[in-house]
Amino acid sequence: MRRRAAAPRTVGWSVVSAQAAANLGFFAVVPFLADHLASGMGLSAALVGVVLGARTAAQQGLFVVGGALADRFGPRALGLAGCGVRVVGFVLLGTGQSLPALLAAAVLTGLGGALFSPAFEATLSRAAGEDREGPGRRAWFARFAAVGEVGALLGPALGGLLLGASFLAVCLLSAGLFLALGVLLGLAMPRRAALGRPTGSWRPMLADRRFLAFAALYAGCLFTWNQLYFAMPLELSASTGAVTATAVMFAAASLAVATLQIPVTRWIGACPLAAVIPLGFLVMAASMLAVPAARALGAPPAAAVVAAALVLVAGHMIAAPTALAAVAELAGGNPPGACHGLLATCGGIAVLAGNALIGPLLDPGPDGVPATGWLALAAVPAAGAIGLRLLLSRDHSHPADPAPEGAGAATGKEPHDNPARR
């Protein structure tokens, strides 16, 4: 007998849970990786940067490949493959004693994420579209972000408990979590995506100028979000208690996403794409200006950065779930996995290029990062807001949650004017 397909809501919650488990395993290791490489392995700062950069480049650069493979072989197969690759990567990361071994481990951990992340997003988008009584794609991606952030919040605490034993113990814990995640995906995810059109080709997507423009403009979101890991810690590095303040900043950001993402998305409701996504970008631009503004008012550096981080989180919560939900609509009939992958790859390129170009302006002085650096950082999301407003106002003033299967993006046809299901 043919296996009965899982209900869309079951698939949706499986993907949301899988994202939380993936973040738990990932963030149990990554916050301690730089210290392990420098203190435990004796690598120079330059080599630590090479290893960390290899992981980021492998993941972000190969997202579009992972998405295309998910369209070709189905998201379940890519999810299982990604978990398997990460298991091998984390074991090698804990046991590797040479630079080539560590580089290979870093690339494998990045490749694993590039395989399963687009598969997660494409599966969630489709399941939300098939759930006729469900709340809509925006709400599902809000759950995806909020529940996933719980894993990101608990991961460092879990890793820290085992770090006293050894870094290898932490890596084996993460490998075990990804092994368990693979079992969950094997049981819960659909065996193959039935998209109603041939899959696996990303050429039509690359010929879609409208979607390419959207992906290029939206890349500013990931670039600005990355300043939570780059510019804001640099600002704190010039003050006393930098380590504690940085930990407080990350904890506050994760807690805000975990508790407020779903209410924020509910508040946005069915507002048009052309209003919601640019608004989120403008709030993120304001977050880059909050630090020099607070500094001018005499606020302590830690308070200024934590406040700026919370404003950044607010902008990200407004823009990101709506944009991810809109991919199914904006992609038209193009393969959804490849489209989600392209969105992430463009963001990775923006992070690498933007940090290289603006990075020289961020060298902290006695008072922190110069105001000119913060102004340059704010210009990126501000320009993105203008570009996205112009692009999305042309022919996409309706909400990002088109009708379920049969009337919208899930069938590969352009959606009609349907309000979001609440």
Side-chain angles (χ1 to χ4, degrees):
M1 292 181 62
R2 181 176 297 178
R3 180 182 172 183
R4 184 179 179 183
R9 200 162 302 180
T10 300
V11 174
W13 279 114
S14 298
V15 174
V16 169
S17 301
Q19 176 69 2
N23 277 354
L24 182 65
F26 181 79
F27 284 100
V29 173
V30 170
F32 311 108
L33 181 54
D35 180 70
H36 167 71
L37 295 174
S39 301
M41 301 297 298
L43 297 184
S44 66
L47 290 179
V48 171
V50 167
V51 174
L52 296 179
R55 191 212 64 79
T56 301
Q59 181 160 331
Q60 297 294 342
L62 294 175
F63 257 115
V64 66
V65 176
L69 291 174
D71 293 322
R72 175 66 179 86
F73 298 105
R76 180 177 179 271
L78 266 293
L80 291 173
C83 288
V85 170
R86 276 230 165 142
V87 168
V88 176
F90 278 122
V91 170
L92 185 56
L93 198 62
T95 58
Q97 297 296 316
S98 65
L99 180 60
L102 293 170
L103 281 171
V107 170
L108 287 173
T109 57
L111 175 60
L115 292 176
F116 65 66
S117 289
F120 282 4
E121 293 176 359
T123 300
L124 184 61
S125 181
R126 179 170 176 78
E130 291 174 341
D131 187 5
R132 297 179 180 276
E133 302 301 322
R137 285 192 176 94
R138 292 190 192 184
W140 271 112
F141 274 101
R143 294 169 180 173
F144 186 72
V147 177
E149 201 64 32
V150 173
L153 184 62
L154 296 178
L158 184 60
L161 290 176
L162 288 178
L163 198 61
S166 68
F167 184 73
L168 174 60
V170 181
C171 291
L172 291 178
L173 167 70
S174 293
L177 287 171
F178 276 99
L179 186 62
L181 176 57
V183 174
L184 170 66
L185 296 179
L187 294 174
M189 288 186 76
R191 289 190 174 274
R192 186 168 180 87
L195 296 176
R197 60 158 288 163
T199 61
S201 173
W202 41 263
R203 292 186 182 88
M205 174 192 66
L206 296 181
D208 188 341
R209 294 182 179 179
R210 182 188 65 186
F211 186 77
L212 289 177
F214 174 75
L217 290 168
Y218 183 72
C221 180
L222 183 57
F223 167 77
T224 309
W225 180 254
N226 184 256
Q227 303 316 312
L228 194 67
Y229 305 90
F230 186 31
M232 292 183 182
L234 283 179
E235 175 72 22
L236 291 172
S237 68
S239 60
T240 57
V243 174
T244 301
T246 301
V248 170
M249 178 190 72
F250 280 114
S254 294
L255 188 61
V257 175
T259 57
L260 298 177
Q261 179 66 80
I262 293 174
V264 167
T265 304
R266 187 179 297 121
W267 170 70
I268 292 170
C271 295
L273 301 181
V276 174
I277 302 177
L279 172 62
F281 270 60
L282 288 176
V283 174
M284 287 190 285
S287 73
M288 297 295 101
L289 300 176
V291 172
R295 186 195 299 157
L297 294 174
V305 171
V306 170
L310 292 176
V311 177
L312 175 59
V313 166
H316 192 267
M317 287 192 293
I318 293 170
T322 299
L324 291 174
V327 169
E329 175 186 0
L330 295 169
N334 293 320
C339 290
H340 278 282
L342 178 65
L343 209 65
T345 294
C346 287
I349 293 171
V351 171
L352 293 174
N355 284 354
L357 293 172
I358 300 179
L361 301 176
L362 304 181
D363 287 330
D367 297 326
V369 173
T372 52
W374 290 110
L375 288 171
L377 292 174
V380 175
I386 296 171
L388 286 165
R389 174 69 181 180
L390 293 174
L391 177 69
L392 297 174
S393 294
R394 293 176 184 174
D395 55 356
H396 283 85
S397 59
H398 48 284
D401 286 333
E405 180 115 63
T411 64
K413 300 177 181 178
E414 286 292 329
H416 300 291
D417 189 23
N418 289 291
R421 295 182 179 271
R422 311 309 305 169

